[in-house]
Amino acid sequence: MATVTEAINRAARKLPIWPLYIVLLIPVPWWLWLAQNGGLGREPIKALEQELGEMALRLLIAGLCVTPLRRHAGINLIRFSRAIGLTAFAYVCLHLLVWVGLDMSLLWSQMWADILKRPYITIGMAGFACLVPLAATSNGASIRKLGAAGWQKLHRLTYVAVLLGGLHYILLAKGFRIEPLIYMAVILGLLALRLPFVRRRHAA
């Protein structure tokens, strides 16, 4: 097992990071093509919104996996965490842009009314607000300015953002759907691994 872990870590160290941005964003042009050619069903804008939102949540969850993988399995993928986080933010922005530009047709007064009236939109916007400072400070200059401890403290907002994202997905679902609940269960499980008593138990 240690040999496999070491092999994964060696391979991860050799891989360049920039292709990961391209690979993770490949679905975007594909979904746009499908939306224009009838491949996303009868409501392509809603479907596109959903695909972008789900991908954002998957990437946020993938970002949450990095620390437990290192701590509990010895697999160190920390050098990819910035790319995963920034790509997740890009998907959240695209999800929001589709809602603002295509779904709501830039009807700002209607959008503000919906943000205040509909809890799932309010929660989604709160999650987006949490991600903005994280994306803005995902660079070396911000780490130096905030200090490692301050930067890590700020980036714990990720936990809040991903929880809000999971809740947004649950409330958005019409009727009973198991998939949003599975996402939330995974999020809660990954956050539970960060609890102090779980970390102490593993260390012991």
Side-chain angles (χ1 to χ4, degrees), residues 39-109:
L40 289 182
R42 296 169 63 183
E43 295 186 87
I45 293 174
K46 287 286 184 189
L48 181 60
E49 238 179 84
Q50 183 172 332
E51 294 286 2
L52 291 167
E54 284 187 13
M55 188 64 174
L57 192 54
R58 288 185 202 118
L59 288 172
L60 287 172
I61 291 171
L64 279 186
C65 290
V66 171
T67 297
L69 272 175
R70 179 168 56 89
R71 189 174 291 153
H72 299 284
I75 297 173
N76 190 352
L77 302 177
I78 194 76
R79 61 193 296 265
F80 301 108
S81 60
R82 182 182 299 179
I84 295 170
L86 287 176
T87 314
F89 182 69
Y91 273 100
V92 172
C93 290
L94 290 170
H95 174 69
L96 184 58
L97 282 173
V98 170
W99 180 69
V100 170
L102 300 180
D103 196 354
M104 301 302 291
S105 303
L106 301 177
L107 297 172
W108 299 103
S109 58

Side-chain angles (χ1 to χ4, degrees), residues 6 19-20 51-52 55 78 95 98 107 121 136 143 164 168 178 185 190-191 200:
E6 288 167 10
L20 185 59
E51 294 286 2
L52 291 167
M55 188 64 174
I78 194 76
H95 174 69
V98 170
L107 297 172
I121 298 179
I143 296 172
L164 291 172
H168 170 72
I178 191 68
L190 288 169
L191 293 179
R200 283 196 297 270

